[in-house]
Amino acid sequence: MRFEWMGRQESQYVADSIGQVYIELSTACNLSCAICVRHSIKDFKNTHFTKKLLNRLVSQLQELSNLNRIVLLGFGEALCNPDIQWHLRQLSTLNVPIVLVTNGLLITQHVAELVVSLPLEAVYISIDDPAGVKPTIRKGSDVHIPLQAITLLKETKHSIKAQKPIVGVETVVTQHNINSVVDIITMAKQAGADHCIVSHVFPYSSDMSNAIAYSFDGKYDGLKQARKLFLHDTTVTIAGSNASTLRSCPFIEKGTVFINVEGYISPCPELAYTHLAYYFGNPRTHMQHRFGNILKNNIAAIWESAEFVSFRDTFRYFEFPDCTLCVEPDMCYHRTVEHKDCYWNTSPCGECLWAKGIVLCP
């Protein structure tokens, strides 16, 4: 089904080649964060990206002429992979900028020296709780450890006069830490962070659905104070808080593929696994969308498959309902029972907060 004839307001660039690859190196994690989607994925198991799988992936990535970014992000902690140092060295042979997203708890002196010497393009460390209080989001963590990791990376760079990696921090905001956002950014900068990303949460539990700091129409903006204080600070990126905006998928426009720990390919992290989600308080089931596996087919061939091409084409004019405009979202039979939207799409892209700029990834 196509809707170009309707003169839709929303249109966007759709990349015709793979430019960005997300790789889930591990589904194991050393934390159990309250905001994590892992709690909502049925029968989620801990496993690691193997050497055999990575060797196959690297040989396939070498054939992608327009690949310009690799992001090591998934639903586990990448540094939990027992072969992480080997993986990083192999990926670095591609001479493509690599971004590592981590909770920072496992960054030792040796790891710091490795990521600086390779070098990685950037390392983003997640910090969601302020110092001096018991963590409410990253339970079991100590915020001083990731702060020390930031300092360690900066000192390691300085010792060999290296320019990379950029050391960044990402904070996910809920009502539980909304009053600490400015403090978190400030202490990250004091520790040596080059860049800070402030994102809203996409709720994967009923508790989190009641803790959002954004709104349908922008009348409520929990980040107003931070936005004002860091208005002219180019080293701080703050998510929008108004869901009533035109959409643009940041993954589709960059030619993204997400490769999970078993080699399955999805268009983005949100579509990698089937899980429960809440859209402005309304429960949903977000169905996984997989278009192939690199163990069975080449990544370029999967990208060019008719099914994947057709899926990406729906974004040229955003052929998904804007669920923000729904007058009775709590009565949505399709999304809660049949797992389809009003246009009969099976993906939950009509309620995507990344496309609204409310949820951000490094």
Side-chain angles (χ1 to χ4, degrees):
M1 187 179 295
R2 291 290 181 266
F3 294 90
E4 289 92 336
W5 56 271
M6 294 178 64
R8 295 173 63 80
Q9 287 183 298
E10 294 171 302
S11 63
Q12 74 165 83
Y13 172 74
V14 175
D16 56 9
S17 60
I18 299 175
Q20 177 174 253
V21 173
Y22 278 66
I23 307 173
E24 181 180 57
L25 290 182
S26 180
T27 54
C29 191
N30 50 345
L31 290 176
S32 183
C33 301
I35 60 176
C36 188
V37 67
R38 292 161 55 88
H39 305 304
S40 300
I41 301 174
K42 186 178 180 180
D43 299 325
F44 193 68
K45 58 183 179 181
N46 293 340
T47 187
H48 308 295
F49 213 93
T50 65
K51 288 184 176 181
K52 177 183 177 181
L53 188 57
L54 192 81
N55 276 329
R56 184 172 178 83
L57 175 60
V58 168
S59 66
Q60 294 183 18
L61 295 181
Q62 289 172 339
E63 301 173 4
L64 304 179
S65 58
N66 293 320
L67 180 62
N68 56 55
R69 192 170 189 251
I70 294 173
V71 183
L72 305 180
L73 178 151
F75 298 105
E77 168 57 49
L79 296 183
C80 281
N81 189 310
D83 299 314
I84 182 61
Q85 297 181 36
W86 182 90
H87 285 311
L88 292 177
R89 290 190 178 95
Q90 294 303 113
L91 288 169
S92 69
T93 63
L94 294 167
N95 293 317
V96 174
I98 299 173
V99 178
L100 170 65
V101 182
T102 172
N103 59 38
L105 300 184
L106 300 178
I107 295 181
T108 62
Q109 179 67 54
H110 183 66
V111 171
E113 291 172 355
L114 176 64
V115 301
V116 171
S117 64
L118 286 175
L120 300 193
E121 179 70 18
V123 176
Y124 276 88
I125 297 174
S126 301
I127 299 178
D128 301 319
D129 295 291
V133 298
K134 184 178 180 179
T136 58
I137 297 178
R138 295 189 174 272
K139 298 178 180 179
S141 177
D142 180 347
V143 70
H144 293 97
I145 298 177
L147 288 173
Q148 290 169 4
I150 295 172
T151 302
L152 179 58
L153 287 166
K154 296 291 288 188
E155 290 176 346
T156 304
K157 285 173 58 179
H158 179 74
S159 67
I160 61 173
K161 296 181 173 58
Q163 298 299 312
K164 297 178 181 179
I166 294 169
V167 181
V169 164
E170 179 171 29
T171 297
V172 177
V173 175
T174 72
Q175 291 295 337
H176 301 295
N177 65 353
I178 192 66
N179 295 322
S180 303
V181 173
V182 172
D183 291 338
I184 293 173
I185 296 173
T186 301
M187 71 180 186
K189 283 175 165 289
Q190 291 174 344
D194 301 306
H195 185 219
C196 295
I197 297 175
V198 182
S199 171
H200 286 289
V201 68
F202 201 131
Y204 298 115
S205 68
S206 57
D207 289 342
M208 284 298 109
S209 71
N210 297 318
I212 62 174
Y214 49 90
S215 60
F216 275 108
D217 51 13
K219 290 182 179 179
Y220 170 61
D221 181 3
L223 293 174
K224 186 175 182 179
Q225 180 187 14
R227 207 181 305 281
K228 181 179 180 180
L229 287 174
F230 298 103
L231 178 63
H232 302 294
D233 190 337
T234 58
T235 67
V236 179
T237 301
I238 299 179
S241 297
N242 183 0
S244 295
T245 59
L246 295 179
R247 297 168 292 178
S248 181
C249 176
F251 301 106
I252 292 294
E253 67 183 15
K254 294 177 182 177
T256 305
V257 293
F258 179 94
I259 306 172
N260 91 334
V261 73
E262 295 177 324
Y264 287 100
I265 287 183
S266 298
C268 66
E270 184 66 15
L271 298 182
Y273 297 93
T274 295
H275 58 81
L276 185 67
Y278 286 79
Y279 190 70
F280 289 100
N282 299 296
R284 301 285 193 258
T285 297
H286 287 187
M287 304 298 292
Q288 71 181 25
H289 278 61
R290 295 174 176 176
F291 293 94
N293 191 301
I294 61 171
L295 286 174
K296 297 180 180 180
N297 210 336
N298 187 283
I299 188 172
I302 296 172
W303 173 266
E304 294 294 343
S305 66
E307 185 183 14
F308 204 173
V309 169
S310 177
F311 174 82
R312 296 195 303 274
D313 280 347
T314 60
F315 288 85
R316 296 188 187 278
Y317 292 91
F318 244 91
E319 297 168 27
F320 305 91
D322 188 341
C323 297
T324 304
L325 305 177
C326 182
V327 294
E328 292 184 311
D330 56 327
M331 301 294 289
C332 184
Y333 173 83
H334 299 299
R335 292 292 298 116
T336 55
V337 179
E338 295 183 340
H339 311 314
K340 297 177 181 178
D341 64 25
C342 299
Y343 295 178
W344 225 240
N345 298 300
T346 55
S347 73
C349 301
E351 55 193 36
C352 179
L353 296 179
W354 280 267
K356 293 284 190 176
I358 290 175
V359 175
L360 305 177
C361 285

PDB file of all heavy atoms in Angstrom, residues 334-355:
ATOM      1  N   HIS A 334      -5.927  -2.696  17.189  1.00  0.00           N
ATOM      2  CA  HIS A 334      -4.900  -3.223  16.292  1.00  0.00           C
ATOM      3  C   HIS A 334      -3.554  -3.382  17.006  1.00  0.00           C
ATOM      4  O   HIS A 334      -2.907  -4.423  16.925  1.00  0.00           O
ATOM      5  CB  HIS A 334      -4.726  -2.303  15.079  1.00  0.00           C
ATOM      6  CG  HIS A 334      -5.959  -2.161  14.246  1.00  0.00           C
ATOM      7  ND1 HIS A 334      -6.554  -3.233  13.622  1.00  0.00           N
ATOM      8  CD2 HIS A 334      -6.720  -1.091  13.947  1.00  0.00           C
ATOM      9  CE1 HIS A 334      -7.616  -2.818  12.959  1.00  0.00           C
ATOM     10  NE2 HIS A 334      -7.742  -1.518  13.143  1.00  0.00           N
ATOM     11  N   ARG A 335      -3.129  -2.326  17.728  1.00  0.00           N
ATOM     12  CA  ARG A 335      -1.795  -2.335  18.320  1.00  0.00           C
ATOM     13  C   ARG A 335      -1.707  -3.242  19.548  1.00  0.00           C
ATOM     14  O   ARG A 335      -0.641  -3.699  19.898  1.00  0.00           O
ATOM     15  CB  ARG A 335      -1.370  -0.913  18.709  1.00  0.00           C
ATOM     16  CG  ARG A 335      -1.128  -0.006  17.523  1.00  0.00           C
ATOM     17  CD  ARG A 335       0.084  -0.399  16.684  1.00  0.00           C
ATOM     18  NE  ARG A 335       1.302  -0.335  17.462  1.00  0.00           N
ATOM     19  CZ  ARG A 335       2.041  -1.382  17.738  1.00  0.00           C
ATOM     20  NH1 ARG A 335       1.693  -2.579  17.312  1.00  0.00           N
ATOM     21  NH2 ARG A 335       3.147  -1.248  18.430  1.00  0.00           N
ATOM     22  N   THR A 336      -2.830  -3.448  20.225  1.00  0.00           N
ATOM     23  CA  THR A 336      -2.775  -4.241  21.453  1.00  0.00           C
ATOM     24  C   THR A 336      -3.097  -5.721  21.230  1.00  0.00           C
ATOM     25  O   THR A 336      -2.641  -6.576  21.973  1.00  0.00           O
ATOM     26  CB  THR A 336      -3.746  -3.681  22.507  1.00  0.00           C
ATOM     27  OG1 THR A 336      -5.070  -3.615  21.940  1.00  0.00           O
ATOM     28  CG2 THR A 336      -3.337  -2.282  22.923  1.00  0.00           C
ATOM     29  N   VAL A 337      -3.885  -6.019  20.193  1.00  0.00           N
ATOM     30  CA  VAL A 337      -4.300  -7.401  19.963  1.00  0.00           C
ATOM     31  C   VAL A 337      -3.674  -7.980  18.692  1.00  0.00           C
ATOM     32  O   VAL A 337      -3.042  -9.043  18.720  1.00  0.00           O
ATOM     33  CB  VAL A 337      -5.843  -7.510  19.882  1.00  0.00           C
ATOM     34  CG1 VAL A 337      -6.255  -8.955  19.607  1.00  0.00           C
ATOM     35  CG2 VAL A 337      -6.468  -7.011  21.178  1.00  0.00           C
ATOM     36  N   GLU A 338      -3.805  -7.269  17.584  1.00  0.00           N
ATOM     37  CA  GLU A 338      -3.316  -7.796  16.310  1.00  0.00           C
ATOM     38  C   GLU A 338      -1.880  -7.367  16.011  1.00  0.00           C
ATOM     39  O   GLU A 338      -1.284  -7.818  15.041  1.00  0.00           O
ATOM     40  CB  GLU A 338      -4.234  -7.342  15.178  1.00  0.00           C
ATOM     41  CG  GLU A 338      -5.643  -7.921  15.287  1.00  0.00           C
ATOM     42  CD  GLU A 338      -6.526  -7.528  14.119  1.00  0.00           C
ATOM     43  OE1 GLU A 338      -6.209  -6.537  13.445  1.00  0.00           O
ATOM     44  OE2 GLU A 338      -7.526  -8.230  13.885  1.00  0.00           O
ATOM     45  N   HIS A 339      -1.347  -6.466  16.831  1.00  0.00           N
ATOM     46  CA  HIS A 339       0.026  -5.984  16.661  1.00  0.00           C
ATOM     47  C   HIS A 339       0.232  -5.320  15.302  1.00  0.00           C
ATOM     48  O   HIS A 339       1.299  -5.432  14.694  1.00  0.00           O
ATOM     49  CB  HIS A 339       1.034  -7.119  16.861  1.00  0.00           C
ATOM     50  CG  HIS A 339       0.804  -7.917  18.103  1.00  0.00           C
ATOM     51  ND1 HIS A 339       0.547  -7.330  19.318  1.00  0.00           N
ATOM     52  CD2 HIS A 339       0.790  -9.253  18.323  1.00  0.00           C
ATOM     53  CE1 HIS A 339       0.383  -8.270  20.236  1.00  0.00           C
ATOM     54  NE2 HIS A 339       0.513  -9.435  19.665  1.00  0.00           N
ATOM     55  N   LYS A 340      -0.810  -4.639  14.830  1.00  0.00           N
ATOM     56  CA  LYS A 340      -0.731  -3.881  13.589  1.00  0.00           C
ATOM     57  C   LYS A 340      -1.210  -2.462  13.865  1.00  0.00           C
ATOM     58  O   LYS A 340      -1.847  -2.193  14.873  1.00  0.00           O
ATOM     59  CB  LYS A 340      -1.596  -4.529  12.505  1.00  0.00           C
ATOM     60  CG  LYS A 340      -1.155  -5.931  12.124  1.00  0.00           C
ATOM     61  CD  LYS A 340      -2.088  -6.550  11.104  1.00  0.00           C
ATOM     62  CE  LYS A 340      -1.647  -7.968  10.756  1.00  0.00           C
ATOM     63  NZ  LYS A 340      -2.568  -8.626   9.793  1.00  0.00           N
ATOM     64  N   ASP A 341      -0.888  -1.534  12.947  1.00  0.00           N
ATOM     65  CA  ASP A 341      -1.382  -0.180  13.130  1.00  0.00           C
ATOM     66  C   ASP A 341      -2.582   0.076  12.218  1.00  0.00           C
ATOM     67  O   ASP A 341      -3.085  -0.837  11.551  1.00  0.00           O
ATOM     68  CB  ASP A 341      -0.264   0.847  12.910  1.00  0.00           C
ATOM     69  CG  ASP A 341       0.269   0.851  11.478  1.00  0.00           C
ATOM     70  OD1 ASP A 341      -0.478   0.448  10.561  1.00  0.00           O
ATOM     71  OD2 ASP A 341       1.420   1.271  11.279  1.00  0.00           O
ATOM     72  N   CYS A 342      -3.048   1.311  12.172  1.00  0.00           N
ATOM     73  CA  CYS A 342      -4.244   1.653  11.398  1.00  0.00           C
ATOM     74  C   CYS A 342      -4.051   1.467   9.891  1.00  0.00           C
ATOM     75  O   CYS A 342      -5.031   1.372   9.152  1.00  0.00           O
ATOM     76  CB  CYS A 342      -4.643   3.099  11.668  1.00  0.00           C
ATOM     77  SG  CYS A 342      -5.037   3.444  13.390  1.00  0.00           S
ATOM     78  N   TYR A 343      -2.778   1.466   9.448  1.00  0.00           N
ATOM     79  CA  TYR A 343      -2.493   1.266   8.027  1.00  0.00           C
ATOM     80  C   TYR A 343      -2.119  -0.184   7.745  1.00  0.00           C
ATOM     81  O   TYR A 343      -1.688  -0.516   6.659  1.00  0.00           O
ATOM     82  CB  TYR A 343      -1.353   2.183   7.579  1.00  0.00           C
ATOM     83  CG  TYR A 343      -1.637   3.661   7.624  1.00  0.00           C
ATOM     84  CD1 TYR A 343      -0.645   4.577   7.280  1.00  0.00           C
ATOM     85  CD2 TYR A 343      -2.874   4.158   8.012  1.00  0.00           C
ATOM     86  CE1 TYR A 343      -0.888   5.939   7.322  1.00  0.00           C
ATOM     87  CE2 TYR A 343      -3.113   5.518   8.061  1.00  0.00           C
ATOM     88  CZ  TYR A 343      -2.124   6.407   7.719  1.00  0.00           C
ATOM     89  OH  TYR A 343      -2.366   7.753   7.762  1.00  0.00           O
ATOM     90  N   TRP A 344      -2.259  -1.016   8.772  1.00  0.00           N
ATOM     91  CA  TRP A 344      -1.999  -2.448   8.677  1.00  0.00           C
ATOM     92  C   TRP A 344      -0.500  -2.776   8.657  1.00  0.00           C
ATOM     93  O   TRP A 344      -0.096  -3.859   8.259  1.00  0.00           O
ATOM     94  CB  TRP A 344      -2.703  -3.054   7.457  1.00  0.00           C
ATOM     95  CG  TRP A 344      -3.410  -4.340   7.779  1.00  0.00           C
ATOM     96  CD1 TRP A 344      -3.184  -5.566   7.220  1.00  0.00           C
ATOM     97  CD2 TRP A 344      -4.456  -4.551   8.738  1.00  0.00           C
ATOM     98  NE1 TRP A 344      -4.013  -6.513   7.762  1.00  0.00           N
ATOM     99  CE2 TRP A 344      -4.818  -5.923   8.692  1.00  0.00           C
ATOM    100  CE3 TRP A 344      -5.124  -3.714   9.631  1.00  0.00           C
ATOM    101  CZ2 TRP A 344      -5.807  -6.466   9.508  1.00  0.00           C
ATOM    102  CZ3 TRP A 344      -6.117  -4.250  10.436  1.00  0.00           C
ATOM    103  CH2 TRP A 344      -6.442  -5.602  10.378  1.00  0.00           C
ATOM    104  N   ASN A 345       0.344  -1.844   9.078  1.00  0.00           N
ATOM    105  CA  ASN A 345       1.765  -2.147   9.237  1.00  0.00           C
ATOM    106  C   ASN A 345       1.968  -2.989  10.491  1.00  0.00           C
ATOM    107  O   ASN A 345       1.301  -2.766  11.511  1.00  0.00           O
ATOM    108  CB  ASN A 345       2.589  -0.853   9.383  1.00  0.00           C
ATOM    109  CG  ASN A 345       2.494   0.036   8.171  1.00  0.00           C
ATOM    110  OD1 ASN A 345       2.858  -0.360   7.076  1.00  0.00           O
ATOM    111  ND2 ASN A 345       1.998   1.252   8.368  1.00  0.00           N
ATOM    112  N   THR A 346       2.889  -3.908  10.441  1.00  0.00           N
ATOM    113  CA  THR A 346       3.172  -4.721  11.624  1.00  0.00           C
ATOM    114  C   THR A 346       4.276  -4.124  12.486  1.00  0.00           C
ATOM    115  O   THR A 346       4.475  -4.565  13.621  1.00  0.00           O
ATOM    116  CB  THR A 346       3.592  -6.149  11.212  1.00  0.00           C
ATOM    117  OG1 THR A 346       4.694  -6.076  10.311  1.00  0.00           O
ATOM    118  CG2 THR A 346       2.433  -6.867  10.545  1.00  0.00           C
ATOM    119  N   SER A 347       5.005  -3.149  11.972  1.00  0.00           N
ATOM    120  CA  SER A 347       6.046  -2.513  12.784  1.00  0.00           C
ATOM    121  C   SER A 347       5.444  -1.360  13.580  1.00  0.00           C
ATOM    122  O   SER A 347       4.450  -0.760  13.161  1.00  0.00           O
ATOM    123  CB  SER A 347       7.176  -1.988  11.895  1.00  0.00           C
ATOM    124  OG  SER A 347       6.757  -0.839  11.188  1.00  0.00           O
ATOM    125  N   PRO A 348       6.029  -1.005  14.739  1.00  0.00           N
ATOM    126  CA  PRO A 348       5.468   0.046  15.597  1.00  0.00           C
ATOM    127  C   PRO A 348       5.983   1.439  15.251  1.00  0.00           C
ATOM    128  O   PRO A 348       6.045   2.312  16.113  1.00  0.00           O
ATOM    129  CB  PRO A 348       5.944  -0.379  16.983  1.00  0.00           C
ATOM    130  CG  PRO A 348       7.286  -0.996  16.720  1.00  0.00           C
ATOM    131  CD  PRO A 348       7.145  -1.706  15.391  1.00  0.00           C
ATOM    132  N   CYS A 349       6.360   1.658  13.995  1.00  0.00           N
ATOM    133  CA  CYS A 349       7.005   2.920  13.616  1.00  0.00           C
ATOM    134  C   CYS A 349       6.086   4.130  13.752  1.00  0.00           C
ATOM    135  O   CYS A 349       6.562   5.264  13.810  1.00  0.00           O
ATOM    136  CB  CYS A 349       7.538   2.810  12.190  1.00  0.00           C
ATOM    137  SG  CYS A 349       8.740   1.468  11.982  1.00  0.00           S
ATOM    138  N   GLY A 350       4.779   3.917  13.807  1.00  0.00           N
ATOM    139  CA  GLY A 350       3.860   5.030  13.990  1.00  0.00           C
ATOM    140  C   GLY A 350       3.944   5.663  15.358  1.00  0.00           C
ATOM    141  O   GLY A 350       3.453   6.775  15.567  1.00  0.00           O
ATOM    142  N   GLU A 351       4.548   4.974  16.307  1.00  0.00           N
ATOM    143  CA  GLU A 351       4.695   5.515  17.655  1.00  0.00           C
ATOM    144  C   GLU A 351       6.164   5.584  18.071  1.00  0.00           C
ATOM    145  O   GLU A 351       6.495   5.491  19.247  1.00  0.00           O
ATOM    146  CB  GLU A 351       3.890   4.676  18.655  1.00  0.00           C
ATOM    147  CG  GLU A 351       4.222   3.193  18.640  1.00  0.00           C
ATOM    148  CD  GLU A 351       3.210   2.350  19.403  1.00  0.00           C
ATOM    149  OE1 GLU A 351       2.005   2.692  19.362  1.00  0.00           O
ATOM    150  OE2 GLU A 351       3.623   1.366  20.030  1.00  0.00           O
ATOM    151  N   CYS A 352       7.030   5.778  17.085  1.00  0.00           N
ATOM    152  CA  CYS A 352       8.471   5.801  17.366  1.00  0.00           C
ATOM    153  C   CYS A 352       8.911   7.139  17.939  1.00  0.00           C
ATOM    154  O   CYS A 352       8.690   8.190  17.337  1.00  0.00           O
ATOM    155  CB  CYS A 352       9.252   5.501  16.081  1.00  0.00           C
ATOM    156  SG  CYS A 352      11.037   5.535  16.333  1.00  0.00           S
ATOM    157  N   LEU A 353       9.545   7.095  19.091  1.00  0.00           N
ATOM    158  CA  LEU A 353      10.019   8.314  19.741  1.00  0.00           C
ATOM    159  C   LEU A 353      11.375   8.764  19.227  1.00  0.00           C
ATOM    160  O   LEU A 353      11.780   9.898  19.426  1.00  0.00           O
ATOM    161  CB  LEU A 353      10.065   8.113  21.258  1.00  0.00           C
ATOM    162  CG  LEU A 353       8.707   7.863  21.920  1.00  0.00           C
ATOM    163  CD1 LEU A 353       8.873   7.660  23.429  1.00  0.00           C
ATOM    164  CD2 LEU A 353       7.739   9.013  21.649  1.00  0.00           C
ATOM    165  N   TRP A 354      12.104   7.854  18.548  1.00  0.00           N
ATOM    166  CA  TRP A 354      13.351   8.271  17.894  1.00  0.00           C
ATOM    167  C   TRP A 354      13.020   9.202  16.731  1.00  0.00           C
ATOM    168  O   TRP A 354      13.694  10.195  16.514  1.00  0.00           O
ATOM    169  CB  TRP A 354      14.111   7.047  17.387  1.00  0.00           C
ATOM    170  CG  TRP A 354      14.879   6.315  18.416  1.00  0.00           C
ATOM    171  CD1 TRP A 354      16.208   6.500  18.742  1.00  0.00           C
ATOM    172  CD2 TRP A 354      14.420   5.271  19.275  1.00  0.00           C
ATOM    173  NE1 TRP A 354      16.566   5.633  19.747  1.00  0.00           N
ATOM    174  CE2 TRP A 354      15.488   4.872  20.097  1.00  0.00           C
ATOM    175  CE3 TRP A 354      13.177   4.635  19.421  1.00  0.00           C
ATOM    176  CZ2 TRP A 354      15.381   3.861  21.045  1.00  0.00           C
ATOM    177  CZ3 TRP A 354      13.053   3.636  20.376  1.00  0.00           C
ATOM    178  CH2 TRP A 354      14.149   3.248  21.169  1.00  0.00           C
ATOM    179  N   ALA A 355      11.978   8.863  15.987  1.00  0.00           N
ATOM    180  CA  ALA A 355      11.580   9.677  14.830  1.00  0.00           C
ATOM    181  C   ALA A 355      11.069  11.045  15.258  1.00  0.00           C
ATOM    182  O   ALA A 355      11.080  11.997  14.467  1.00  0.00           O
ATOM    183  CB  ALA A 355      10.500   8.961  14.028  1.00  0.00           C
TER     184      ALA A 355
END
